[in-house]
mmCIF file of all heavy atoms in Angstrom:
data_model
loop_
_atom_site.group_PDB
_atom_site.id
_atom_site.type_symbol
_atom_site.label_atom_id
_atom_site.label_comp_id
_atom_site.label_asym_id
_atom_site.label_seq_id
_atom_site.Cartn_x
_atom_site.Cartn_y
_atom_site.Cartn_z
ATOM 1 N N GLY A 255 64.682 -49.368 0.207
ATOM 2 C CA GLY A 255 65.611 -48.947 -0.822
ATOM 3 C C GLY A 255 65.522 -49.852 -2.045
ATOM 4 O O GLY A 255 65.992 -49.529 -3.108
ATOM 5 N N HIS A 256 64.902 -51.015 -1.856
ATOM 6 C CA HIS A 256 64.672 -51.894 -2.995
ATOM 7 C C HIS A 256 63.253 -52.447 -2.826
ATOM 8 O O HIS A 256 62.764 -52.603 -1.714
ATOM 9 C CB HIS A 256 65.696 -53.023 -3.039
ATOM 10 C CG HIS A 256 65.663 -53.896 -1.817
ATOM 11 N ND1 HIS A 256 66.366 -53.586 -0.661
ATOM 12 C CD2 HIS A 256 65.001 -55.043 -1.547
ATOM 13 C CE1 HIS A 256 66.146 -54.518 0.231
ATOM 14 N NE2 HIS A 256 65.327 -55.405 -0.253
ATOM 15 N N SER A 257 62.612 -52.737 -3.936
ATOM 16 C CA SER A 257 61.238 -53.214 -3.823
ATOM 17 C C SER A 257 61.227 -54.722 -3.584
ATOM 18 O O SER A 257 62.110 -55.455 -4.031
ATOM 19 C CB SER A 257 60.454 -52.880 -5.092
ATOM 20 O OG SER A 257 61.028 -53.571 -6.185
ATOM 21 N N VAL A 258 60.243 -55.169 -2.852
ATOM 22 C CA VAL A 258 60.053 -56.589 -2.606
ATOM 23 C C VAL A 258 58.944 -57.053 -3.538
ATOM 24 O O VAL A 258 57.902 -56.419 -3.630
ATOM 25 C CB VAL A 258 59.648 -56.822 -1.131
ATOM 26 C CG1 VAL A 258 59.472 -58.304 -0.852
ATOM 27 C CG2 VAL A 258 60.671 -56.209 -0.200
ATOM 28 N N ASP A 259 59.195 -58.131 -4.287
ATOM 29 C CA ASP A 259 58.209 -58.586 -5.257
ATOM 30 C C ASP A 259 56.987 -59.156 -4.563
ATOM 31 O O ASP A 259 55.857 -58.804 -4.858
ATOM 32 C CB ASP A 259 58.815 -59.663 -6.176
ATOM 33 C CG ASP A 259 59.813 -59.032 -7.138
ATOM 34 O OD1 ASP A 259 59.682 -57.817 -7.381
ATOM 35 O OD2 ASP A 259 60.707 -59.744 -7.607
ATOM 36 N N ASP A 260 57.255 -60.058 -3.633
ATOM 37 C CA ASP A 260 56.141 -60.774 -3.025
ATOM 38 C C ASP A 260 55.819 -60.153 -1.673
ATOM 39 O O ASP A 260 56.592 -60.296 -0.722
ATOM 40 C CB ASP A 260 56.525 -62.244 -2.881
ATOM 41 C CG ASP A 260 55.385 -63.031 -2.254
ATOM 42 O OD1 ASP A 260 54.257 -62.487 -2.147
ATOM 43 O OD2 ASP A 260 55.631 -64.182 -1.852
ATOM 44 N N THR A 261 54.700 -59.453 -1.607
ATOM 45 C CA THR A 261 54.327 -58.784 -0.360
ATOM 46 C C THR A 261 53.154 -59.498 0.316
ATOM 47 O O THR A 261 52.516 -58.934 1.192
ATOM 48 C CB THR A 261 53.981 -57.296 -0.622
ATOM 49 O OG1 THR A 261 53.043 -57.230 -1.708
ATOM 50 C CG2 THR A 261 55.218 -56.506 -0.988
ATOM 51 N N VAL A 262 52.907 -60.725 -0.116
ATOM 52 C CA VAL A 262 51.830 -61.514 0.506
ATOM 53 C C VAL A 262 52.399 -62.285 1.688
ATOM 54 O O VAL A 262 53.426 -62.960 1.568
ATOM 55 C CB VAL A 262 51.184 -62.473 -0.525
ATOM 56 C CG1 VAL A 262 50.182 -63.392 0.169
ATOM 57 C CG2 VAL A 262 50.500 -61.676 -1.630
ATOM 58 N N ARG A 263 51.734 -62.139 2.836
ATOM 59 C CA ARG A 263 52.147 -62.858 4.037
ATOM 60 C C ARG A 263 50.893 -63.384 4.725
ATOM 61 O O ARG A 263 49.789 -62.855 4.518
ATOM 62 C CB ARG A 263 52.888 -61.935 5.017
ATOM 63 C CG ARG A 263 54.222 -61.395 4.494
ATOM 64 C CD ARG A 263 55.288 -62.473 4.404
ATOM 65 N NE ARG A 263 56.591 -61.941 3.994
ATOM 66 C CZ ARG A 263 56.959 -61.694 2.743
ATOM 67 N NH1 ARG A 263 56.101 -61.890 1.737
ATOM 68 N NH2 ARG A 263 58.172 -61.240 2.470
ATOM 69 N N THR A 264 51.085 -64.425 5.556
ATOM 70 C CA THR A 264 49.954 -64.966 6.304
ATOM 71 C C THR A 264 50.124 -64.666 7.786
ATOM 72 O O THR A 264 51.145 -65.014 8.386
ATOM 73 C CB THR A 264 49.844 -66.488 6.090
ATOM 74 O OG1 THR A 264 49.655 -66.741 4.695
ATOM 75 C CG2 THR A 264 48.662 -67.066 6.866
ATOM 76 N N ILE A 265 49.142 -63.959 8.338
ATOM 77 C CA ILE A 265 49.149 -63.658 9.780
ATOM 78 C C ILE A 265 48.235 -64.671 10.460
ATOM 79 O O ILE A 265 47.062 -64.825 10.107
ATOM 80 C CB ILE A 265 48.665 -62.208 10.033
ATOM 81 C CG1 ILE A 265 49.676 -61.205 9.457
ATOM 82 C CG2 ILE A 265 48.442 -61.959 11.517
ATOM 83 C CD1 ILE A 265 51.047 -61.222 10.113
ATOM 84 N N GLU A 266 48.809 -65.356 11.462
ATOM 85 C CA GLU A 266 48.081 -66.409 12.169
ATOM 86 C C GLU A 266 47.133 -65.803 13.210
ATOM 87 O O GLU A 266 45.977 -66.189 13.315
ATOM 88 C CB GLU A 266 49.106 -67.322 12.829
ATOM 89 C CG GLU A 266 48.584 -68.663 13.292
ATOM 90 C CD GLU A 266 49.635 -69.381 14.143
ATOM 91 O OE1 GLU A 266 50.817 -68.960 14.125
ATOM 92 O OE2 GLU A 266 49.274 -70.335 14.835
ATOM 93 N N PHE A 267 47.653 -64.875 13.990
ATOM 94 C CA PHE A 267 46.785 -64.184 14.958
ATOM 95 C C PHE A 267 47.389 -62.839 15.362
ATOM 96 O O PHE A 267 48.606 -62.627 15.256
ATOM 97 C CB PHE A 267 46.512 -65.041 16.202
ATOM 98 C CG PHE A 267 47.713 -65.461 16.987
ATOM 99 C CD1 PHE A 267 48.358 -64.556 17.840
ATOM 100 C CD2 PHE A 267 48.212 -66.764 16.907
ATOM 101 C CE1 PHE A 267 49.467 -64.938 18.584
ATOM 102 C CE2 PHE A 267 49.326 -67.151 17.644
ATOM 103 C CZ PHE A 267 49.959 -66.234 18.476
ATOM 104 N N VAL A 268 46.498 -61.939 15.798
ATOM 105 C CA VAL A 268 46.892 -60.690 16.463
ATOM 106 C C VAL A 268 46.053 -60.636 17.725
ATOM 107 O O VAL A 268 44.830 -60.464 17.652
ATOM 108 C CB VAL A 268 46.619 -59.442 15.596
ATOM 109 C CG1 VAL A 268 47.101 -58.186 16.323
ATOM 110 C CG2 VAL A 268 47.279 -59.553 14.230
ATOM 111 N N ARG A 269 46.695 -60.851 18.873
ATOM 112 C CA ARG A 269 45.951 -60.864 20.144
ATOM 113 C C ARG A 269 46.261 -59.607 20.924
ATOM 114 O O ARG A 269 47.390 -59.153 20.962
ATOM 115 C CB ARG A 269 46.358 -62.077 20.984
ATOM 116 C CG ARG A 269 45.763 -63.356 20.446
ATOM 117 C CD ARG A 269 46.137 -64.561 21.314
ATOM 118 N NE ARG A 269 45.844 -65.780 20.572
ATOM 119 C CZ ARG A 269 46.628 -66.856 20.526
ATOM 120 N NH1 ARG A 269 47.761 -66.879 21.219
ATOM 121 N NH2 ARG A 269 46.294 -67.895 19.818
ATOM 122 N N VAL A 270 45.225 -59.065 21.562
ATOM 123 C CA VAL A 270 45.397 -57.869 22.382
ATOM 124 C C VAL A 270 45.088 -58.258 23.819
ATOM 125 O O VAL A 270 43.992 -58.736 24.120
ATOM 126 C CB VAL A 270 44.445 -56.733 21.940
ATOM 127 C CG1 VAL A 270 44.699 -55.476 22.773
ATOM 128 C CG2 VAL A 270 44.614 -56.438 20.446
ATOM 129 N N ARG A 271 46.073 -58.066 24.702
ATOM 130 C CA ARG A 271 45.889 -58.418 26.105
ATOM 131 C C ARG A 271 46.030 -57.148 26.935
ATOM 132 O O ARG A 271 46.959 -56.369 26.708
ATOM 133 C CB ARG A 271 46.967 -59.434 26.485
ATOM 134 C CG ARG A 271 46.819 -60.006 27.855
ATOM 135 C CD ARG A 271 47.874 -61.088 28.067
ATOM 136 N NE ARG A 271 48.170 -61.218 29.479
ATOM 137 C CZ ARG A 271 49.163 -61.947 29.968
ATOM 138 N NH1 ARG A 271 49.960 -62.615 29.164
ATOM 139 N NH2 ARG A 271 49.374 -62.012 31.257
ATOM 140 N N GLU A 272 45.115 -56.937 27.859
ATOM 141 C CA GLU A 272 45.167 -55.731 28.696
ATOM 142 C C GLU A 272 45.664 -56.068 30.089
ATOM 143 O O GLU A 272 45.250 -57.060 30.677
ATOM 144 C CB GLU A 272 43.759 -55.124 28.835
ATOM 145 C CG GLU A 272 43.190 -54.618 27.539
ATOM 146 C CD GLU A 272 41.823 -53.984 27.749
ATOM 147 O OE1 GLU A 272 41.672 -53.211 28.709
ATOM 148 O OE2 GLU A 272 40.914 -54.300 26.964
ATOM 149 N N ARG A 273 46.540 -55.207 30.598
ATOM 150 C CA ARG A 273 46.996 -55.342 31.982
ATOM 151 C C ARG A 273 47.086 -53.951 32.541
ATOM 152 O O ARG A 273 48.126 -53.313 32.451
ATOM 153 C CB ARG A 273 48.379 -56.003 32.030
ATOM 154 C CG ARG A 273 48.319 -57.508 32.161
ATOM 155 C CD ARG A 273 49.683 -58.057 32.481
ATOM 156 N NE ARG A 273 50.618 -57.721 31.411
ATOM 157 C CZ ARG A 273 51.558 -58.552 30.957
ATOM 158 N NH1 ARG A 273 51.693 -59.739 31.487
ATOM 159 N NH2 ARG A 273 52.364 -58.190 29.997
ATOM 160 N N GLY A 274 45.986 -53.466 33.111
ATOM 161 C CA GLY A 274 45.973 -52.090 33.608
ATOM 162 C C GLY A 274 46.219 -51.137 32.456
ATOM 163 O O GLY A 274 45.552 -51.230 31.414
ATOM 164 N N PRO A 275 47.199 -50.225 32.571
ATOM 165 C CA PRO A 275 47.454 -49.264 31.495
ATOM 166 C C PRO A 275 48.158 -49.892 30.295
ATOM 167 O O PRO A 275 48.303 -49.246 29.264
ATOM 168 C CB PRO A 275 48.364 -48.227 32.158
ATOM 169 C CG PRO A 275 49.018 -48.945 33.284
ATOM 170 C CD PRO A 275 48.064 -50.008 33.742
ATOM 171 N N GLU A 276 48.577 -51.147 30.426
ATOM 172 C CA GLU A 276 49.377 -51.766 29.372
ATOM 173 C C GLU A 276 48.518 -52.552 28.396
ATOM 174 O O GLU A 276 47.644 -53.311 28.791
ATOM 175 C CB GLU A 276 50.411 -52.696 30.010
ATOM 176 C CG GLU A 276 51.370 -53.264 28.989
ATOM 177 C CD GLU A 276 52.311 -54.289 29.588
ATOM 178 O OE1 GLU A 276 52.395 -54.396 30.831
ATOM 179 O OE2 GLU A 276 52.951 -55.013 28.805
ATOM 180 N N LEU A 277 48.794 -52.347 27.094
ATOM 181 C CA LEU A 277 48.189 -53.161 26.042
ATOM 182 C C LEU A 277 49.314 -53.959 25.407
ATOM 183 O O LEU A 277 50.280 -53.379 24.903
ATOM 184 C CB LEU A 277 47.538 -52.273 24.982
ATOM 185 C CG LEU A 277 46.289 -51.528 25.429
ATOM 186 C CD1 LEU A 277 45.877 -50.509 24.380
ATOM 187 C CD2 LEU A 277 45.156 -52.520 25.669
ATOM 188 N N GLU A 278 49.177 -55.273 25.454
ATOM 189 C CA GLU A 278 50.228 -56.127 24.903
ATOM 190 C C GLU A 278 49.675 -56.816 23.669
ATOM 191 O O GLU A 278 48.733 -57.603 23.767
ATOM 192 C CB GLU A 278 50.640 -57.138 25.965
ATOM 193 C CG GLU A 278 51.823 -57.968 25.584
ATOM 194 C CD GLU A 278 52.076 -59.072 26.604
ATOM 195 O OE1 GLU A 278 52.712 -58.785 27.626
ATOM 196 O OE2 GLU A 278 51.598 -60.205 26.391
ATOM 197 N N LEU A 279 50.254 -56.520 22.509
ATOM 198 C CA LEU A 279 49.808 -57.137 21.263
ATOM 199 C C LEU A 279 50.749 -58.277 20.901
ATOM 200 O O LEU A 279 51.973 -58.084 20.875
ATOM 201 C CB LEU A 279 49.793 -56.112 20.128
ATOM 202 C CG LEU A 279 48.720 -55.025 20.239
ATOM 203 C CD1 LEU A 279 49.242 -53.812 20.980
ATOM 204 C CD2 LEU A 279 48.252 -54.597 18.851
ATOM 205 N N SER A 280 50.190 -59.467 20.641
ATOM 206 C CA SER A 280 50.995 -60.600 20.186
ATOM 207 C C SER A 280 50.637 -60.863 18.737
ATOM 208 O O SER A 280 49.466 -61.022 18.403
ATOM 209 C CB SER A 280 50.698 -61.841 21.022
ATOM 210 O OG SER A 280 51.063 -61.597 22.360
ATOM 211 N N ILE A 281 51.655 -60.901 17.874
ATOM 212 C CA ILE A 281 51.432 -61.013 16.436
ATOM 213 C C ILE A 281 52.257 -62.171 15.901
ATOM 214 O O ILE A 281 53.481 -62.170 16.020
ATOM 215 C CB ILE A 281 51.814 -59.691 15.726
ATOM 216 C CG1 ILE A 281 51.008 -58.535 16.344
ATOM 217 C CG2 ILE A 281 51.580 -59.787 14.225
ATOM 218 C CD1 ILE A 281 51.319 -57.181 15.782
ATOM 219 N N SER A 282 51.555 -63.164 15.335
ATOM 220 C CA SER A 282 52.230 -64.348 14.812
ATOM 221 C C SER A 282 51.976 -64.455 13.320
ATOM 222 O O SER A 282 50.846 -64.277 12.852
ATOM 223 C CB SER A 282 51.675 -65.586 15.543
ATOM 224 O OG SER A 282 52.200 -66.758 14.968
ATOM 225 N N GLY A 283 53.026 -64.760 12.559
ATOM 226 C CA GLY A 283 52.856 -64.880 11.108
ATOM 227 C C GLY A 283 53.968 -65.688 10.485
ATOM 228 O O GLY A 283 54.975 -65.993 11.134
ATOM 229 N N ASP A 284 53.785 -66.031 9.198
ATOM 230 C CA ASP A 284 54.796 -66.859 8.520
ATOM 231 C C ASP A 284 55.976 -66.034 8.025
ATOM 232 O O ASP A 284 56.995 -66.585 7.595
ATOM 233 C CB ASP A 284 54.153 -67.660 7.365
ATOM 234 C CG ASP A 284 53.669 -66.771 6.234
ATOM 235 O OD1 ASP A 284 53.605 -65.532 6.400
ATOM 236 O OD2 ASP A 284 53.320 -67.305 5.166
ATOM 237 N N GLY A 285 55.843 -64.719 8.085
ATOM 238 C CA GLY A 285 56.937 -63.852 7.666
ATOM 239 C C GLY A 285 56.475 -62.410 7.770
ATOM 240 O O GLY A 285 55.268 -62.142 7.791
ATOM 241 N N PHE A 286 57.429 -61.495 7.844
ATOM 242 C CA PHE A 286 57.085 -60.092 8.035
ATOM 243 C C PHE A 286 57.927 -59.232 7.107
ATOM 244 O O PHE A 286 59.137 -59.432 6.987
ATOM 245 C CB PHE A 286 57.322 -59.694 9.497
ATOM 246 C CG PHE A 286 56.360 -60.356 10.458
ATOM 247 C CD1 PHE A 286 56.656 -61.600 11.011
ATOM 248 C CD2 PHE A 286 55.153 -59.753 10.777
ATOM 249 C CE1 PHE A 286 55.766 -62.226 11.877
ATOM 250 C CE2 PHE A 286 54.251 -60.368 11.640
ATOM 251 C CZ PHE A 286 54.558 -61.613 12.193
ATOM 252 N N LEU A 287 57.299 -58.269 6.469
ATOM 253 C CA LEU A 287 58.009 -57.311 5.628
ATOM 254 C C LEU A 287 58.709 -56.297 6.534
ATOM 255 O O LEU A 287 58.484 -56.268 7.754
ATOM 256 C CB LEU A 287 57.022 -56.602 4.688
ATOM 257 C CG LEU A 287 56.251 -57.553 3.754
ATOM 258 C CD1 LEU A 287 55.070 -56.815 3.108
ATOM 259 C CD2 LEU A 287 57.181 -58.108 2.682
ATOM 260 N N TYR A 288 59.534 -55.431 5.922
ATOM 261 C CA TYR A 288 60.313 -54.466 6.699
ATOM 262 C C TYR A 288 59.392 -53.508 7.462
ATOM 263 O O TYR A 288 58.549 -52.830 6.869
ATOM 264 C CB TYR A 288 61.250 -53.698 5.763
ATOM 265 C CG TYR A 288 62.250 -52.828 6.479
ATOM 266 C CD1 TYR A 288 62.991 -53.306 7.560
ATOM 267 C CD2 TYR A 288 62.457 -51.516 6.079
ATOM 268 C CE1 TYR A 288 63.905 -52.510 8.213
ATOM 269 C CE2 TYR A 288 63.381 -50.706 6.721
ATOM 270 C CZ TYR A 288 64.094 -51.203 7.798
ATOM 271 O OH TYR A 288 64.991 -50.408 8.446
ATOM 272 N N LYS A 289 59.566 -53.486 8.782
ATOM 273 C CA LYS A 289 58.779 -52.631 9.703
ATOM 274 C C LYS A 289 57.286 -52.952 9.697
ATOM 275 O O LYS A 289 56.458 -52.125 10.133
ATOM 276 C CB LYS A 289 59.012 -51.136 9.412
ATOM 277 C CG LYS A 289 60.448 -50.748 9.714
ATOM 278 C CD LYS A 289 60.669 -49.254 9.835
ATOM 279 C CE LYS A 289 62.132 -49.009 10.211
ATOM 280 N NZ LYS A 289 62.573 -47.644 10.019
ATOM 281 N N MET A 290 56.932 -54.153 9.237
ATOM 282 C CA MET A 290 55.520 -54.509 9.113
ATOM 283 C C MET A 290 54.792 -54.515 10.461
ATOM 284 O O MET A 290 53.680 -53.970 10.560
ATOM 285 C CB MET A 290 55.408 -55.879 8.438
ATOM 286 C CG MET A 290 54.001 -56.371 8.220
ATOM 287 S SD MET A 290 54.047 -57.837 7.120
ATOM 288 C CE MET A 290 52.736 -58.813 7.829
ATOM 289 N N VAL A 291 55.392 -55.093 11.490
ATOM 290 C CA VAL A 291 54.714 -55.136 12.797
ATOM 291 C C VAL A 291 54.475 -53.718 13.297
ATOM 292 O O VAL A 291 53.380 -53.373 13.757
ATOM 293 C CB VAL A 291 55.534 -55.937 13.831
ATOM 294 C CG1 VAL A 291 54.847 -55.893 15.193
ATOM 295 C CG2 VAL A 291 55.709 -57.381 13.385
ATOM 296 N N ARG A 292 55.500 -52.858 13.183
ATOM 297 C CA ARG A 292 55.371 -51.498 13.700
ATOM 298 C C ARG A 292 54.374 -50.685 12.876
ATOM 299 O O ARG A 292 53.692 -49.798 13.413
ATOM 300 C CB ARG A 292 56.737 -50.830 13.740
ATOM 301 C CG ARG A 292 57.625 -51.451 14.831
ATOM 302 C CD ARG A 292 59.092 -51.174 14.619
ATOM 303 N NE ARG A 292 59.356 -49.742 14.640
ATOM 304 C CZ ARG A 292 60.521 -49.205 14.293
ATOM 305 N NH1 ARG A 292 61.526 -49.979 13.895
ATOM 306 N NH2 ARG A 292 60.685 -47.916 14.331
ATOM 307 N N LEU A 293 54.237 -50.964 11.574
ATOM 308 C CA LEU A 293 53.215 -50.291 10.761
ATOM 309 C C LEU A 293 51.821 -50.795 11.116
ATOM 310 O O LEU A 293 50.854 -50.028 11.129
ATOM 311 C CB LEU A 293 53.517 -50.496 9.269
ATOM 312 C CG LEU A 293 54.599 -49.544 8.721
ATOM 313 C CD1 LEU A 293 55.284 -50.131 7.497
ATOM 314 C CD2 LEU A 293 53.991 -48.169 8.390
ATOM 315 N N MET A 294 51.701 -52.090 11.421
ATOM 316 C CA MET A 294 50.404 -52.635 11.858
ATOM 317 C C MET A 294 49.982 -52.019 13.196
ATOM 318 O O MET A 294 48.842 -51.565 13.361
ATOM 319 C CB MET A 294 50.502 -54.167 11.999
ATOM 320 C CG MET A 294 50.630 -54.920 10.668
ATOM 321 S SD MET A 294 51.137 -56.663 10.890
ATOM 322 C CE MET A 294 49.685 -57.355 11.690
ATOM 323 N N VAL A 295 50.925 -51.979 14.146
ATOM 324 C CA VAL A 295 50.603 -51.412 15.469
ATOM 325 C C VAL A 295 50.301 -49.922 15.340
ATOM 326 O O VAL A 295 49.356 -49.413 15.956
ATOM 327 C CB VAL A 295 51.762 -51.664 16.469
ATOM 328 C CG1 VAL A 295 51.520 -50.927 17.779
ATOM 329 C CG2 VAL A 295 51.937 -53.166 16.719
ATOM 330 N N GLY A 296 51.065 -49.222 14.498
ATOM 331 C CA GLY A 296 50.807 -47.797 14.270
ATOM 332 C C GLY A 296 49.386 -47.571 13.763
ATOM 333 O O GLY A 296 48.684 -46.670 14.229
#
Side-chain angles (χ1 to χ4, degrees):
Chain A
H256 60 274
S257 63
V258 181
D259 288 337
D260 180 12
T261 50
V262 174
R263 295 290 184 278
T264 300
I265 293 296
E266 196 190 346
F267 59 77
V268 182
R269 285 182 195 138
V270 183
R271 186 175 154 189
E272 295 182 45
R273 268 191 300 219
E276 186 186 347
L277 290 170
E278 187 187 277
L279 291 91
S280 297
I281 303 178
S282 174
D284 67 348
F286 292 88
L287 301 166
Y288 189 47
K289 294 196 177 165
M290 181 169 144
V291 177
R292 290 161 61 190
L293 280 155
M294 290 166 68
V295 173

